[in-house]
Amino acid sequence: MPLLTRRWLIGALLVAGILSSAAWLHLHQPAPANSPTARGEQPAASIGVVATITPPAASTVHAHAAPAPDVERVLRSGSLRGSQPDGLLAWTGDGRLIANRELRRLLDYFLSSIGELDADAIRTLLVTQLGAQYSAAQVTQVAAVFDRYRDYQLALMNESPIADLSAQLSRLHELRLRYLGTEIADAFFRDDENYAAYTLAQRDLKTDPQLTAEQRVASLAELDKTLPESLRDRRALAQTPMLIDSQEAQFDVAHADANTRHDTRAAQWGEPAAQRLDALDAQRADWQSRLSAYQNWRDAINANTALSETQRRAAIDDLLVRSFHDTERVRIQSLEQEGLLPTPGG
């Protein structure tokens, strides 16, 4: 879910498509001076999933936080209503919090309610929810990371964008180290920074006028080898929709039949994916068939001079209701208004 993107998008987002942006946080307290617990080298002894979020009891809300009714209102009718927190909490064998991207996702989930609750109330909500499942010592560790992450987001919001994207990435890295420390900054943002650096290097190679076509291909291949496997998987996943679109265009040009499409897809994407794409083909064919039928009947109604304008309009409205469900009718009407669905004489 998109989080913390309400006020200011940093320039590097346009390059990598993965860097975080800042939300406006109304803060009243500085972050604790003590460093958060390090990630540790031990494997996680346990991983807990926070239960479905519920309004805190009035007795658990601290005096300095926003009134409990505000929290309850947001949870019952606001953006967090009926939701479950993203992310996981992981701990070492001796009870130390492990900082990782799942922890960041959890913090982002709670911070997504900024604007509905102030930062103090969000912190209280986080502590209250975790307190129902974790010990006071564990909750204190999470709250300490929350404080640092919150202050990093505020600092990021106050930063002016830097035109040079390499300099922007360096500045982001400096801020993360300053507010989060090396351990947490690395756990939260290492993959993002590595992929952003890769994307910038890829852009430079593609636009370097001194490289021949052969040198460019070779250099890009070498650059690809520097990506960790997890980021290679991410890049491949990001490219999948474009590859599927390209494959669809080739099918259309070749007038490929359904069996050919299925067999080719199964060989490239696997049988389950091929079946899902087959189903999508069927849905598209059904939509196109109904759309064509609607246009033909609509044109016939409009051409019927025995009907008055009011009768034609009523007949077309009835045709819409019989041909499409509610959201489809809105789509058809929007297409007609934008001139994207041909009308008689159009």
Side-chain angles (χ1 to χ4, degrees), residues 26-41:
H26 303 287
L27 305 178
H28 304 287
Q29 302 182 64
N34 295 332
S35 174
T37 304
R39 281 191 301 159
E41 298 299 326

Side-chain angles (χ1 to χ4, degrees), residues 73-89:
R73 173 181 52 77
V74 168
L75 297 182
R76 287 173 180 155
S77 61
S79 63
L80 301 183
R81 175 172 53 90
S83 65
Q84 291 186 343
D86 291 334
L88 302 169
L89 292 179

Side-chain angles (χ1 to χ4, degrees), residues 118-135:
D118 65 23
D120 283 339
I122 292 173
R123 188 182 194 279
T124 298
L125 177 60
L126 170 72
V127 169
T128 301
Q129 294 295 317
L130 296 183
Q133 184 174 355
Y134 299 99
S135 69

Side-chain angles (χ1 to χ4, degrees), residues 63 79 119 137 175 201-202 206 241 250 285 299 307 326:
S79 63
L175 285 174
Q202 186 184 58
K206 288 181 177 179
Q250 293 174 16
D299 294 350
L307 300 176
D326 291 346

Side-chain angles (χ1 to χ4, degrees), residues 39-110:
R39 281 191 301 159
E41 298 299 326
Q42 295 174 277
S46 63
I47 297 179
V49 180
V50 182
T52 300
I53 195 163
T54 55
S59 60
T60 65
V61 178
H62 299 302
H64 69 273
D70 288 347
V71 175
E72 293 176 355
R73 173 181 52 77
V74 168
L75 297 182
R76 287 173 180 155
S77 61
S79 63
L80 301 183
R81 175 172 53 90
S83 65
Q84 291 186 343
D86 291 334
L88 302 169
L89 292 179
W91 312 89
T92 62
D94 57 357
R96 290 181 295 127
L97 177 65
I98 297 176
N100 53 26
R101 290 179 67 88
E102 289 296 317
L103 173 59
R104 175 185 158 192
R105 289 181 60 203
L106 179 67
L107 301 182
D108 283 341
Y109 169 85
F110 282 95

Side-chain angles (χ1 to χ4, degrees), residues 8 10-12 159-172:
W8 178 68
I10 58 176
E159 284 286 308
S160 298
I162 301 174
D164 182 86
L165 294 176
S166 295
Q168 177 73 49
L169 290 176
S170 296
R171 180 59 181 159
L172 282 172

